[in-house]
Amino acid sequence: MLAQPESLLSEAQFGNLLDMLLRLWARGYEWTRAVVVKATSSAGRVAIPLPESRPQSRAICLNLGAEPYLATLLAGQNSAEDLRGHGPGRMRRLQTRCTVPLGPLHQLSLGELAALGWLVETATQQDAMRRFPERVMAIDFDAFLAAVTDGMDRILGHFSLQRDERYLAGVGASPVLLRYSKAPERPYSPADRRLLLRESRRDNAAEIGQGMAWLERLARSDQSLAAVLAGGGGP
């Protein structure tokens, strides 16, 4: 909302805050070779300003296709609150790239709200990759889990980190892959994830269907959004 009347920050204030946070995030220890910041998907709103501010920086967009994204999100206990909270901002962002008016946010079902999130964040990722083709790389999460060693090899190369054969040989068996990232005390293996998705596709079939149908309707009405869907990927 910068430059809009309702913005709480001026362009200069935003720039100062961004610079301060980047300086804080870049701190390391004496032995630090590289600092990697794990950003939440909603940080896509600054996917262009971040790399613009640090020309030497590189980024990875970890993503999912639309259907597995909806199945994953709708399985979460707090998804409804999260989706509604992000809804207004995502609707504003989507409308700026649409050639047709969008329907009111309050009419969207939970599955359609999830589809809104996938569409907006996917479009933002694609913008960043077009703007910085050598510095922003997309990693499909399902493909990564299917071949962790190959995925980490690509990631090390992208960040110009030393390629360690011993590390790569054992990374696929890392205990990190058996834990939920936001709550490490909770077991969550790739097998657990597959089970969760299977259950979500069963329990949330109607909402997933509504979300996918909403994406298809938008794609038929707007060529720019059809291009986003054709590009695949996702947050």
Side-chain angles (χ1 to χ4, degrees):
M1 293 187 291
L2 286 176
Q4 299 299 316
E6 65 268 31
S7 178
L8 290 171
L9 296 174
S10 68
E11 294 274 3
Q13 289 172 325
F14 173 77
N16 289 336
L17 282 172
L18 183 63
D19 183 67
M20 178 189 71
L21 290 169
L22 284 165
R23 289 174 183 273
L24 292 173
W25 294 334
R27 293 179 303 173
Y29 300 95
E30 293 179 359
W31 57 86
T32 298
R33 290 183 294 160
V35 175
V36 179
V37 177
K38 162 59 171 78
T40 185
S41 58
S42 59
R45 290 171 289 184
V46 288
I48 300 297
L50 283 173
E52 277 184 338
S53 300
R54 294 294 185 273
Q56 75 280 11
S57 65
R58 288 175 172 263
I60 286 175
C61 293
L62 194 64
N63 57 47
L64 286 171
E67 192 277 340
Y69 176 85
L70 266 63
T72 300
L73 209 60
L74 293 173
Q77 292 182 345
N78 299 318
S79 289
E81 181 179 352
D82 184 69
L83 288 170
R84 291 190 176 98
H86 284 296
R90 285 171 170 166
M91 184 64 86
R92 283 193 297 268
R93 290 163 62 194
L94 182 59
Q95 189 64 81
T96 62
R97 59 174 71 236
C98 276
T99 58
V100 296
L102 297 169
L105 183 66
H106 64 81
Q107 290 184 355
L108 297 186
S109 69
L110 197 59
E112 291 167 339
L113 283 172
L116 167 66
W118 181 89
L119 183 60
V120 171
E121 304 304 343
T122 297
T124 302
Q125 282 189 9
Q126 292 176 4
D127 289 344
M129 288 185 286
R130 280 192 295 269
R131 184 75 170 270
F132 309 103
E134 303 300 321
R135 294 169 52 200
V136 179
M137 180 174 70
I139 295 284
D140 180 273
F141 189 51
D142 284 317
F144 175 81
L145 289 178
V148 174
T149 300
D150 292 342
M152 286 305 303
D153 196 10
R154 288 182 61 204
I155 290 170
L156 290 174
H158 181 68
F159 284 128
S160 299
L161 294 172
Q162 183 178 358
R163 190 176 186 277
D164 187 327
E165 293 290 351
R166 289 179 57 191
Y167 167 76
L168 289 173
V171 69
S174 170
V176 171
L177 296 173
L178 303 178
R179 295 286 165 179
Y180 184 50
S181 62
K182 296 179 180 179
E185 70 279 3
R186 173 183 162 188
Y188 190 63
S189 67
D192 292 330
R193 178 176 177 270
R194 288 192 295 271
L195 177 61
L196 180 74
L197 288 177
R198 186 161 62 246
E199 292 175 345
S200 179
R201 284 169 174 139
R202 179 197 65 207
D203 299 339
N204 301 301
E207 289 292 350
I208 293 171
Q210 288 185 37
M212 296 301 294
W214 185 81
L215 290 173
E216 292 169 4
R217 288 196 300 273
L218 283 182
R220 288 194 296 269
S221 64
D222 189 294
Q223 289 186 347
S224 64
L225 298 184
V228 174
L229 267 69

